Amino acid sequence: MSRPITFETSADTVLSPPAAERQSFSDASSAVQQLIALYDAGTGFLREQFARVMNGAEPEGRYRAFYPEITFSTSSYAKVDSRLSFGHVAEPGQYVTTITQPDLFANYLTEQLDLLIRNHGQPVEIGLSTTPIPLHFAMGQDVKMEGAIEDTLERPLRDLFDVPDLTITDDRIVNGIWEASNSPRPLAPFTAQRIDYSLARLAHYTATRPEYFQNHVLFTNYQFYMDEFYAYAHGKVKDPASGYVALVEQGNRITTQDKDPTDHEPKTPQMPTYHLVREDGSGITMVNIGVGPSNAKTITDHIAVLRPHVWLMLGHCAGLRNSQSLGDYVLAHAYVREDHVLDDDLPTWVPIPALAEVQVALEQAVAEVTTLSGFELKKIMRTGTVATIDNRNWELRDQSGPVQRLSQSRAIALDMESATIAANGFRFRVPYGTLLCVSDKPLHGELKLPGMATSFYKRQVSQHLQIGIAALESLRDMPLERLHSRKLRSFEETAFL
């Protein structure tokens, strides 16, 4: 690498990679290649300088590199296809977004930029932003940075390198509270540092690399489903006609048609995750989020930056109606949000609508797997309101208040995750859906006992999982512009999906 340039600031000497000229591109693929080149130059510089000082070289100043950015400008109220929910800007102006790990997002970026260039007939500009890349995010997933670093440097790390800045790592854009003032408008829903933060969290929570996540995501709150999915996925990978090419599990252990992992990963991550991979990323990722709305919010906060095409919740719930039986299905078409974890980001007065495309796919999948249809399907499935609560033992308290609210809301089921996942799907513009299975009926004295639970799980988990997979495979075949519809877009929207 060429010797870094230096320049004086009022407080320090800053060393950065050689400056790069901003360039205009009318070809999306070329623009993405330039993003990759700029990003690799910046992160490579930071890694090189970090290695130097850790090997004993005297620091020459502060080492800094910048995220690349995309700038798009138009002065026209050009008419675009009004059926599209993304791929265009609403009005004249300048739009900017910082970019991280463009090699990971290459297909996504190419698609989004191609739509933008074609829809407006204008080029995009690629250059360096003024946002520094934190050293932590430049080092990659395999490097562990411990506190002993400061002992080696004999000074705080932040004196020499930029570190994550939480003041610019936020959700103002997707929450709809970003204020234009005199700044350029956002081109994408997340900034580079917000994405880097989530990619690091994903690797931590799931013990798998972000690049293995697929575009179709299943969430569950029971390990039984994960065990069933593992067996299903292993069989699919070994079938050359399935279209699935690999199964990735914790520790990034990979099974393919011709190879099984030989090592063993003894540690279980906080949220065990499996990735059933297709070459184009259209496979299925399944995550055991555990119990509770906090976990549900945490994982969807981070998966959202990968811009998945859809996520579904498959879990167990309390049936609230006497007409329901253990093992019946609940297809949520509305949500009562008593989970509270999203109150600061998405007020409770915001409605969370059912998405027709997802609802139809789930109902058809239930019919397909159970071989029931029409009026007969009503024997095992109800469509209605699902309430999500943050108190697992709600039934041990005075029930008069909660039961009255549940009755007034027409709720037919209660759980601890579904409304949170749906609300975050709404907030992040990720299509969402919920299909639950009644596992107990506390209002009617039907509580799970150990023997009942074992029999129930053996009978129902496999069928429930097959329904979820069938729904996702149906949605995978749907044109992207139909699935990502305009109903999730607000007044001021970014051009990127």
Side-chain angles (χ1 to χ4, degrees):
M1 178 178 291
S2 57
R3 182 169 177 78
I5 61 172
T6 64
F7 53 92
E8 295 294 327
T9 67
S10 58
D12 209 347
T13 298
V14 179
L15 297 92
S16 293
E21 295 291 329
R22 303 182 76 86
Q23 298 183 47
S24 292
F25 293 89
S26 294
D27 174 70
S29 296
S30 300
V32 172
Q33 288 306 308
Q34 178 67 0
L35 288 170
I36 292 173
L38 293 176
Y39 179 78
D40 287 350
T43 54
F45 168 80
L46 292 175
R47 290 194 296 269
E48 179 184 357
Q49 302 308 319
F50 178 71
R52 285 184 63 256
V53 297
M54 289 300 290
N55 286 329
E58 183 66 25
E60 302 172 80
R62 168 175 286 277
Y63 301 100
R64 173 171 289 167
F66 300 93
Y67 285 111
E69 69 177 9
I70 304 169
T71 302
F72 179 76
S73 300
T74 179
S75 58
S76 170
Y77 284 95
K79 279 285 186 181
V80 296
D81 190 338
S82 63
R83 297 170 296 178
L84 297 176
S85 63
F86 58 94
H88 56 83
V89 297
E91 57 187 59
Q94 186 180 61
Y95 299 80
V96 176
T97 187
T98 49
I99 298 295
T100 188
Q101 301 198 35
D103 52 342
L104 173 63
F105 293 96
N107 291 339
Y108 166 77
L109 291 170
T110 301
E111 178 184 50
Q112 302 305 304
L113 291 179
D114 183 63
L115 285 170
L116 195 63
I117 292 168
R118 286 193 289 112
N119 286 334
H120 290 278
Q122 296 290 328
V124 295
E125 188 177 86
I126 306 298
L128 290 175
S129 71
T130 58
T131 303
I133 304 174
L135 175 66
H136 302 66
F137 298 150
M139 297 302 290
Q141 299 287 337
D142 296 326
V143 178
K144 307 300 181 186
M145 301 183 65
E146 306 292 347
I149 288 175
E150 294 189 357
D151 296 334
T152 302
L153 297 178
E154 297 183 344
R155 61 192 300 183
L157 181 68
R158 65 184 63 228
D159 282 356
L160 302 180
F161 296 92
D162 291 291
V163 297
D165 182 0
L166 291 180
T167 64
I168 59 171
T169 308
D170 56 51
D171 285 328
R172 286 179 296 173
I173 299 172
V174 292
N175 284 350
I177 59 174
W178 177 84
E179 296 181 2
S181 64
N182 295 321
S183 303
R185 300 182 185 185
L187 188 64
F190 298 102
T191 61
Q193 192 160 167
R194 168 66 170 84
I195 293 173
D196 269 336
Y197 173 80
S198 281
L199 295 181
R201 293 289 82 199
L202 280 178
H204 170 73
Y205 286 123
T206 70
T208 57
R209 294 179 180 274
E211 56 260 37
Y212 294 127
F213 276 77
Q214 300 295 288
N215 282 326
H216 307 90
V217 184
L218 287 174
F219 297 113
T220 188
N221 52 7
Y222 278 94
Q223 185 61 29
F224 298 96
Y225 286 82
M226 303 300 292
D227 297 340
E228 191 71 26
F229 184 77
Y230 179 84
Y232 169 86
H234 198 271
K236 285 295 183 181
V237 168
K238 296 301 182 180
D239 177 6
S242 71
Y244 295 103
V245 297
L247 170 63
V248 182
E249 56 188 290
Q250 62 194 49
N252 301 300
R253 299 170 70 247
I254 301 175
T255 298
T256 64
Q257 182 183 347
D258 304 319
K259 181 182 178 183
D260 291 320
T262 56
D263 60 326
H264 174 62
E265 175 57 55
K267 296 180 180 179
T268 299
Q270 184 172 344
M271 298 187 189
T273 300
Y274 295 129
H275 310 283
L276 181 53
V277 178
R278 289 171 68 97
E279 291 283 6
D280 60 357
S282 66
I284 300 172
T285 287
M286 188 161 194
V287 186
N288 180 359
I289 63 177
V291 177
S294 179
N295 279 1
K297 178 184 183 298
T298 296
I299 195 64
T300 49
D301 277 350
H302 301 316
I303 291 180
V305 306
L306 296 173
R307 310 314 295 142
H309 294 326
V310 62
W311 59 43
L312 303 178
M313 175 64 190
L314 300 182
H316 293 169
C317 65
L320 301 178
R321 304 300 180 93
N322 195 40
S323 58
Q324 292 171 301
S325 299
L326 299 186
D328 282 358
Y329 295 115
V330 173
L331 177 58
H333 76 176
Y335 301 89
V336 174
R337 295 169 52 200
E338 294 201 8
D339 52 301
H340 302 301
V341 299
L342 279 166
D343 289 2
D344 292 336
D345 294 298
L346 193 71
T348 54
W349 51 259
V350 175
I352 308 300
L355 306 182
E357 297 82 3
V358 179
Q359 297 296 98
V360 169
L362 281 168
E363 182 173 357
Q364 289 178 343
V366 175
E368 174 188 328
V369 173
T370 65
T371 69
L372 298 174
S373 61
F375 194 63
E376 289 296 303
L377 195 59
K378 290 179 177 290
K379 290 181 178 179
I380 64 163
M381 186 180 76
R382 289 191 64 156
T383 301
T385 299
V386 170
T388 292
I389 198 167
D390 57 2
N391 178 10
R392 176 61 185 87
N393 299 315
W394 64 277
E395 60 264 48
L396 300 182
R397 305 184 66 179
D398 176 15
Q399 294 185 20
S400 57
V403 171
Q404 182 180 23
R405 292 197 302 275
L406 292 172
S407 178
Q408 289 176 318
S409 68
R410 312 299 195 267
I412 62 173
L414 182 78
D415 81 338
M416 297 189 67
E417 298 87 21
S418 293
T420 313
I421 288 172
N424 244 4
F426 179 88
R427 181 164 77 106
F428 292 130
R429 289 75 163 169
V430 177
Y432 51 86
T434 299
L435 184 73
L436 302 177
C437 187
V438 176
S439 61
D440 63 324
K441 296 172 61 182
L443 296 184
H444 308 96
E446 294 189 48
L447 303 178
K448 288 197 299 283
L449 299 176
M452 295 168 56
T454 301
S455 174
F456 169 79
Y457 293 138
K458 286 181 179 178
R459 182 181 73 251
Q460 210 64 28
V461 166
S462 178
Q463 184 183 82
H464 194 186
L465 178 63
Q466 289 296 327
I467 292 169
I469 292 171
L472 286 185
E473 290 184 335
S474 170
L475 292 167
R476 179 175 65 208
D477 297 333
M478 183 177 293
L480 201 57
E481 60 271 15
R482 275 195 60 200
L483 185 56
H484 290 276
S485 64
R486 295 169 294 180
K487 65 175 69 71
L488 292 182
R489 310 292 273 184
S490 61
F491 295 166
E492 285 273 342
E493 275 298 339
T494 64
F496 281 18
L497 178 66

